[in-house]
Amino acid sequence: MYEEKKKAKHTILKKETFMQGVISIIFAQVLIKLLGAVYRVYLTNRPGFGDAGNAIQNAGFQIYALLLTISSIGVPSAISKMVSEKVAVGNYKSAHRIFRVAFATFAVIGFIGTLLLFFGAHYIANVWLVIPQAEDTLIALSPAIFFVSIASVIRGYFQGISKLSISARSQTVEQVFKTVWTVVLVELIAVFSGANTTLMAAGANLASTLSIFMSFGYLYLYYNKYKKEIWHLINTQEKSVIYKPERARRVAKNVLAVAFPISLSSIISAINKNIDSVTVVRGLKHFMSDAAATVQYGILGGKVDILIGLPLSFNIAFATALVPALAGAISTGDHKSIVNRVSFSLLITILIGLPCTIGLCVFANPILNLLFPNAPDGALILQISAFTVIFTCIAQTINGALQGLGKIVVPAIALGTGVIVKVILNVLLIPIPAFGIYAAAGSSVVCHIINCTIGYSVLRKKVKLNVGFKNMIFKPIVATAIMAICGWAAYTQLTHVVSVRIAAIFALSLSVIIYSLAVVVMKVLSKDDIHMLPKGAKIYNFLVKIGIYKEQAA
């Protein structure tokens, strides 16, 4: 009995399946984005904050995100890739040494990033952003860089040992606290400052710092809880696995050599966001007031960004899970798993991204009026920006696959090419009154089309994918068209009977149901695809029973 309990206790390295990890991340990411939408809706509709407050908060946050990316964003993927390669062959000692050295390395890097943001806040706000009010938001965010850097290493370690749910839960904890702290701090500041927009924006970003500290605390406590178990597995590592201790400097160098190329793609992505924060207000000031230009940027960087980000939360799980899954498959020579997982992930990505793109485009006005009744402007900006969703989703999955396959520089090159084009378009078109803010939205679409195209062309050369035009393109387009037509028809008819907001909620819900049924009826997913889903065998048997699929002869 004692031995059974002891054996049951050692479960930290019990691997999750690929889809279990994906589901954990999807659940966490969707919850994170929904909570993010909650506090964004609250801030935008709160008197004294609105689009102007969004602009101040977002401008500061994008600079913070750039420094954060440099210090940590590529770390989870890099650590997970390196750790999973060691764990795949049973070398737990080397895997844990990578974790320990990386933790010390990125603690130093994160601390430097914190100092740079704290002492450079005044210059960045006044010279780079040309939004002086953003200085306080930058100062409020500066401590977060240190805690995110070290938390990212712990997340990467757990992802590498196939415990993606730990990372997912820590991010959920962070977002829950962020939502709560945002409301609490903004309301307190509003009371004591007379609803000062600048101070409320700083308070909203201070909430991010506090929540990140909470997330780090959760990860650290979890690691400590299972430290003895981890060391037990390390000490009982099979003798057939050769452990060659490496100098800490060499391990750190190897970690940075993997992390930097992966981070480079994220750095360029952060630069992409900062392009708008630096060029939009500057360009719009050529033909409108400072206040009006700030509000326009607030619409793009606040409301539109949060709505565009929600669909991406469903898909980021595949990009995250593919890195350790493919790295481990390569280490064991399992080429079939590589092809199946990449092909399946791309199909699901299209099935997620396409309806979200068209849904945001068709229902732009109803969605903005539903969520932001006090500040509903920006429908055309949202409609244009919606087309970034499908290409960003596909690029996310492609990048995860390329990173897992060792092509870690390609995503950075692909996105970098798109960003260069975006900079040119922003600088040339935003100052023209006929284009203005719409040029910024359109240039982002062009950027992600270029990114997606380059990445896919390289992936096709690396992996012979199981993709076909009929199931991958034609059927999803037809299902999406059916959804859009039925959803919009329902909305227009219901507005004559019920309020616009109730009509929007019903039409959106109906659209999801119609799309799901269309995908099933048209058999977009094959038997093998369905079996990759959680409870896939039971789902397939049910579909056979009701006559949608026919049981294949053995």
Short mmCIF file of all heavy atoms in Angstrom, two decimals, residues 16 55 74 80 108 111 117 154 173 175 223 240 257 270 277 328 349 372 393 424 445 460 463 480 496 502:
data_model
loop_
_atom_site.label_atom_id
_atom_site.label_comp_id
_atom_site.label_asym_id
_atom_site.label_seq_id
_atom_site.Cartn_x
_atom_site.Cartn_y
_atom_site.Cartn_z
N GLU A 16 1.31 14.71 -20.84
CA GLU A 16 0.01 14.95 -21.43
C GLU A 16 0.11 14.64 -22.91
O GLU A 16 1.17 14.80 -23.52
CB GLU A 16 -0.38 16.43 -21.25
CG GLU A 16 -0.53 16.85 -19.80
CD GLU A 16 -0.65 18.37 -19.66
OE1 GLU A 16 -0.32 19.07 -20.63
OE2 GLU A 16 -1.04 18.83 -18.59
N ALA A 55 -5.57 54.85 -25.67
CA ALA A 55 -4.38 55.27 -26.41
C ALA A 55 -3.18 55.43 -25.48
O ALA A 55 -2.08 54.97 -25.78
CB ALA A 55 -4.65 56.58 -27.15
N GLY A 74 10.52 34.75 -26.15
CA GLY A 74 10.93 33.53 -26.85
C GLY A 74 11.39 32.43 -25.92
O GLY A 74 11.64 31.30 -26.35
N SER A 80 11.32 24.95 -23.77
CA SER A 80 10.51 23.75 -24.00
C SER A 80 11.12 22.88 -25.09
O SER A 80 11.11 21.65 -25.00
CB SER A 80 9.07 24.12 -24.35
OG SER A 80 8.98 24.70 -25.64
N VAL A 108 18.90 37.97 -14.75
CA VAL A 108 19.78 39.12 -15.00
C VAL A 108 19.25 39.96 -16.16
O VAL A 108 19.17 41.19 -16.07
CB VAL A 108 21.22 38.64 -15.30
CG1 VAL A 108 22.10 39.82 -15.71
CG2 VAL A 108 21.81 37.94 -14.09
N PHE A 111 16.12 41.90 -15.15
CA PHE A 111 16.43 43.03 -14.25
C PHE A 111 16.96 44.22 -15.05
O PHE A 111 16.58 45.37 -14.79
CB PHE A 111 17.45 42.60 -13.20
CG PHE A 111 17.73 43.66 -12.17
CD1 PHE A 111 16.75 44.05 -11.26
CD2 PHE A 111 18.97 44.28 -12.12
CE1 PHE A 111 17.00 45.03 -10.31
CE2 PHE A 111 19.23 45.27 -11.18
CZ PHE A 111 18.24 45.64 -10.27
N LEU A 117 13.47 50.41 -18.71
CA LEU A 117 12.14 50.99 -18.85
C LEU A 117 11.87 52.04 -17.78
O LEU A 117 11.28 53.09 -18.06
CB LEU A 117 11.07 49.89 -18.77
CG LEU A 117 9.64 50.32 -19.10
CD1 LEU A 117 9.57 50.91 -20.51
CD2 LEU A 117 8.68 49.16 -18.98
N ILE A 154 10.26 29.10 -16.09
CA ILE A 154 9.52 28.02 -15.43
C ILE A 154 8.44 27.46 -16.36
O ILE A 154 8.25 26.25 -16.46
CB ILE A 154 8.88 28.52 -14.11
CG1 ILE A 154 9.94 29.13 -13.19
CG2 ILE A 154 8.18 27.37 -13.39
CD1 ILE A 154 9.39 29.71 -11.89
N VAL A 173 -4.31 32.49 -13.97
CA VAL A 173 -4.19 33.19 -12.69
C VAL A 173 -3.81 34.65 -12.93
O VAL A 173 -4.39 35.57 -12.32
CB VAL A 173 -3.12 32.50 -11.80
CG1 VAL A 173 -2.75 33.38 -10.61
CG2 VAL A 173 -3.62 31.15 -11.31
N GLN A 175 -4.35 36.53 -15.57
CA GLN A 175 -5.41 37.33 -16.18
C GLN A 175 -6.56 37.59 -15.22
O GLN A 175 -7.17 38.66 -15.25
CB GLN A 175 -5.94 36.64 -17.44
CG GLN A 175 -6.83 37.52 -18.30
CD GLN A 175 -6.08 38.70 -18.88
OE1 GLN A 175 -4.91 38.61 -19.18
NE2 GLN A 175 -6.75 39.83 -19.01
N TYR A 223 6.40 24.72 -8.57
CA TYR A 223 7.70 24.06 -8.76
C TYR A 223 8.23 23.54 -7.42
O TYR A 223 8.72 22.40 -7.34
CB TYR A 223 8.69 25.04 -9.38
CG TYR A 223 10.10 24.49 -9.44
CD1 TYR A 223 10.46 23.55 -10.41
CD2 TYR A 223 11.06 24.88 -8.52
CE1 TYR A 223 11.74 23.02 -10.46
CE2 TYR A 223 12.34 24.36 -8.56
CZ TYR A 223 12.68 23.44 -9.52
OH TYR A 223 13.94 22.90 -9.56
N SER A 240 21.63 3.80 -18.55
CA SER A 240 21.97 3.73 -19.98
C SER A 240 22.00 5.10 -20.63
O SER A 240 22.57 5.27 -21.71
CB SER A 240 20.95 2.84 -20.71
OG SER A 240 19.64 3.38 -20.57
N ALA A 257 21.30 30.84 -27.75
CA ALA A 257 21.40 30.57 -29.18
C ALA A 257 20.08 30.08 -29.75
O ALA A 257 19.74 30.34 -30.91
CB ALA A 257 22.50 29.53 -29.44
N ALA A 270 6.53 42.53 -31.81
CA ALA A 270 6.36 43.67 -30.90
C ALA A 270 6.70 44.98 -31.60
O ALA A 270 6.05 46.01 -31.38
CB ALA A 270 7.25 43.49 -29.67
N SER A 277 2.09 52.60 -32.84
CA SER A 277 2.15 53.55 -31.74
C SER A 277 3.05 54.74 -32.06
O SER A 277 2.86 55.84 -31.55
CB SER A 277 2.62 52.86 -30.45
OG SER A 277 3.93 52.38 -30.59
N GLY A 328 10.37 16.69 -29.93
CA GLY A 328 10.45 15.33 -29.38
C GLY A 328 10.33 14.28 -30.47
O GLY A 328 11.03 13.26 -30.44
N THR A 349 -6.65 25.28 -37.72
CA THR A 349 -6.38 26.72 -37.76
C THR A 349 -7.28 27.43 -38.75
O THR A 349 -7.85 28.49 -38.46
CB THR A 349 -4.90 26.96 -38.13
OG1 THR A 349 -4.06 26.51 -37.06
CG2 THR A 349 -4.62 28.44 -38.38
N PHE A 372 -19.32 48.17 -26.64
CA PHE A 372 -18.88 49.52 -26.29
C PHE A 372 -19.98 50.55 -26.59
O PHE A 372 -19.82 51.42 -27.45
CB PHE A 372 -17.62 49.88 -27.08
CG PHE A 372 -16.53 48.85 -26.99
CD1 PHE A 372 -16.26 47.99 -28.06
CD2 PHE A 372 -15.76 48.72 -25.84
CE1 PHE A 372 -15.25 47.04 -27.98
CE2 PHE A 372 -14.75 47.77 -25.75
CZ PHE A 372 -14.50 46.93 -26.82
N CYS A 393 -3.47 33.67 -37.73
CA CYS A 393 -3.69 32.31 -37.21
C CYS A 393 -2.83 31.29 -37.95
O CYS A 393 -2.14 30.46 -37.33
CB CYS A 393 -5.16 31.93 -37.35
SG CYS A 393 -6.25 32.62 -36.09
N ILE A 424 6.64 51.11 -44.50
CA ILE A 424 6.59 51.95 -45.71
C ILE A 424 5.16 52.43 -45.98
O ILE A 424 4.92 53.62 -46.24
CB ILE A 424 7.13 51.16 -46.92
CG1 ILE A 424 8.62 50.86 -46.74
CG2 ILE A 424 6.91 51.96 -48.22
CD1 ILE A 424 9.18 49.87 -47.75
N VAL A 445 -2.79 44.01 -42.52
CA VAL A 445 -3.27 42.87 -43.32
C VAL A 445 -2.20 42.44 -44.32
O VAL A 445 -1.88 41.26 -44.43
CB VAL A 445 -4.58 43.23 -44.05
CG1 VAL A 445 -5.04 42.06 -44.92
CG2 VAL A 445 -5.68 43.60 -43.07
N ARG A 460 6.38 23.83 -46.56
CA ARG A 460 6.05 22.83 -47.59
C ARG A 460 7.31 22.10 -48.07
O ARG A 460 7.26 20.92 -48.44
CB ARG A 460 5.35 23.49 -48.77
CG ARG A 460 3.88 23.78 -48.57
CD ARG A 460 3.06 22.50 -48.42
NE ARG A 460 3.12 21.66 -49.60
CZ ARG A 460 2.27 21.73 -50.62
NH1 ARG A 460 1.29 22.61 -50.59
NH2 ARG A 460 2.38 20.92 -51.64
N VAL A 463 8.28 19.73 -44.86
CA VAL A 463 7.37 18.63 -44.53
C VAL A 463 6.37 18.42 -45.68
O VAL A 463 5.77 19.38 -46.16
CB VAL A 463 6.57 18.95 -43.23
CG1 VAL A 463 5.61 17.81 -42.93
CG2 VAL A 463 7.51 19.17 -42.07
N THR A 480 -18.34 28.83 -44.09
CA THR A 480 -18.30 30.22 -43.59
C THR A 480 -19.32 31.09 -44.30
O THR A 480 -19.97 31.94 -43.68
CB THR A 480 -16.88 30.80 -43.78
OG1 THR A 480 -15.93 29.98 -43.10
CG2 THR A 480 -16.80 32.22 -43.25
N HIS A 496 -36.18 44.02 -36.14
CA HIS A 496 -37.54 44.54 -36.25
C HIS A 496 -38.42 44.08 -35.08
O HIS A 496 -39.52 44.61 -34.87
CB HIS A 496 -38.20 44.08 -37.56
CG HIS A 496 -37.47 44.52 -38.79
ND1 HIS A 496 -37.23 45.85 -39.09
CD2 HIS A 496 -36.90 43.81 -39.80
CE1 HIS A 496 -36.57 45.94 -40.23
NE2 HIS A 496 -36.36 44.71 -40.68
N ILE A 502 -29.87 42.54 -28.32
CA ILE A 502 -30.37 41.16 -28.20
C ILE A 502 -30.29 40.46 -29.56
O ILE A 502 -29.92 39.28 -29.64
CB ILE A 502 -31.81 41.15 -27.66
CG1 ILE A 502 -31.83 41.64 -26.21
CG2 ILE A 502 -32.40 39.74 -27.76
CD1 ILE A 502 -33.22 41.77 -25.63
#
